[in-house]
Every structure is written in structure tokens, then in C-alpha cells.
């Protein structure tokens, strides 16, 4: 949704909207490169805490300003941890799930996420139209903080170890 909020804010320039989207994509690409280097060696739970806190932190500057450079930088940084989050959490879920259940698990995780993401641009545009850019970003940040609090306050998530110890963890 942050891409939707940022793209709507700078929609007066079609090229600028594409660059902002590319910034978020570039951040995710860089995150994927970094994630490949650490995915097997970091504790999943603590990494999730850091990743979700980082996402919240890089959105905060957009609540204070709405300049193009600020939006581009924040949007680029927000994409960094997503590949690591996906690799670590999905890796853990699929490592613990019986092979016969993995197709069902994949469907139950991806279908709702894809369905909800289809509405993010419309929600962002509607919010910006109704309340302005900064208030829309504050609303989005509140949702991010709620998600981060779930991760930070969940002992079962925080306790997920690095990949080598997944076999020792009971679900």
C-alpha cells in the first residue's frame, strides 16, 4: 500500500510514479540479494522483529514530508526486508508442514494476500482523496505498527530459531 500511497501522491507525473514504483522494486531486489547471504544463518524470530520494526521506521519520514526524494527513498527502503521475511517465514512454515499439506498451505497464504493487494491502490487513492497524503501515510503506518506489534509481542514468532534448528521446534 505504501507504493499506492506514494504513487497517488505524485501521480501528476506518470514518469515519477513509475520511478517510485521502481524504487520499491529496487529495494526488494536489493533485499533479495542480501537475504540470500543471511537466510540460513540468522534466527528467524529475531530477524522478523528487526524487519518489521525497520519497515515502520522507514515509513515514519513520509508522515513528516511529502517531497519526491523523500517518498522515493522511503519507498525504496520499505522493500528491503520483504524478501528476507518471505524466505524465512515461508521457509519455516514449509519446513514444518507435511509434504501432503504444502499445496493447501501455499494457497491459503498466497490467495488472500493477492486478493487483498488488488485493493491496495484503490484504498490508497481513496484515502489520499479523502484525507490527504500525510494522514493516509499515518493510517498506513498505524497498520504497519499493528502488524509489527503482533510480531514483537508473539513469543512463538520471536522464538523461531535459525534454519538448522527448525527440526527441534514443535508447532
Amino acid at each position: 500500500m505504501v507504493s499506492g500511497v506514494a504513487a497517488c501522491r505524485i501521480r501528476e507525473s506518470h514518469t515519477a510514479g513509475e520511478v517510485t514504483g521502481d524504487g520499491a522494486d529496487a529495494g526488494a531486489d536489493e533485499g533479495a540479494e542480501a537475504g540470500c547471504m543471511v537466510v540460513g544463518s540468522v534466527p528467524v524470530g529475531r530477524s522478523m522483529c528487526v524487519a518489521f520494526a525497520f519497515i515502520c521506521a522507514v515509513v515514519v519520514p513520509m508522515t513528516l514530508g511529502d517531497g519526491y526524494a523523500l517518498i522515493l527513498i522511503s519507498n525504496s527502503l520499505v522493500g528491503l526486508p520483504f524478501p528476507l521475511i518471505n524466505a524465512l517465514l515461508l521457509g519455516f512454515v514449509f519446513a514444518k508442514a507435511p509434504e501432503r499439506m504444502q499445496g493447501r498451505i501455499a494457497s491459503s497464504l498466497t490467495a488472500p494476500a493477492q486478493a487483498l493487494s488488488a485493493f491496495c491502490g484503490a484504498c490508497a487513492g481513496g484515502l489520499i482523496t479523502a484525507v490527504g497524503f500525510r494522514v493516509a501515510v499515518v493510517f498506513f503506518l498505524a497498520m504497519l505498527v499493528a502488524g509489527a506489534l503482533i510480531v514483537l509481542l508473539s513469543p512463538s514468532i520471536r522464538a523461531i530459531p535459525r534454519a538448522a534448528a527448525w527440526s527441534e521446534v514443535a508447532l
Side-chain angles (χ1 to χ4, degrees):
M1 187 165 161
V2 75
S3 293
V5 170
C8 287
R9 169 67 181 104
I10 55 177
R11 70 174 177 234
E12 53 274 356
S13 167
H14 182 67
T15 304
E18 289 177 357
V19 171
T20 302
D22 292 343
D25 295 342
D29 288 345
E30 293 303 316
E33 292 292 327
C36 288
M37 293 185 269
V38 300
V39 74
S41 61
V42 296
V44 175
R46 282 185 272 166
S47 298
M48 293 306 97
C49 291
V50 170
F52 278 80
F54 176 82
I55 291 168
C56 292
V58 299
V59 172
V60 168
M62 286 197 297
T63 65
L64 306 173
D66 59 1
Y68 177 73
L70 176 68
I71 293 170
L72 181 64
I73 292 167
S74 289
N75 228 12
S76 298
L77 292 174
V78 87
L80 281 174
F82 281 104
L84 183 65
I85 291 168
N86 285 338
L88 291 175
L89 284 181
L90 292 177
F92 176 74
V93 167
F94 286 113
K96 299 304 286 180
E99 193 172 316
R100 63 182 174 74
M101 296 290 291
Q102 291 193 3
R104 293 181 195 133
I105 290 170
S107 295
S108 69
L109 292 173
T110 58
Q114 290 173 352
L116 290 173
S117 69
F119 298 104
C120 285
C123 291
L127 270 174
I128 288 173
T129 302
V131 297
F133 176 74
R134 286 191 182 142
V135 175
V137 172
V138 168
F139 177 79
F140 174 64
L141 180 59
M143 299 300 109
L144 288 174
V145 168
L149 286 173
I150 290 169
V151 171
L152 293 167
L153 299 175
S154 172
S156 58
I157 293 175
R158 287 192 324 263
I160 301 172
R162 59 181 43 96
W166 287 349
S167 61
E168 301 165 15
V169 177
L171 291 180

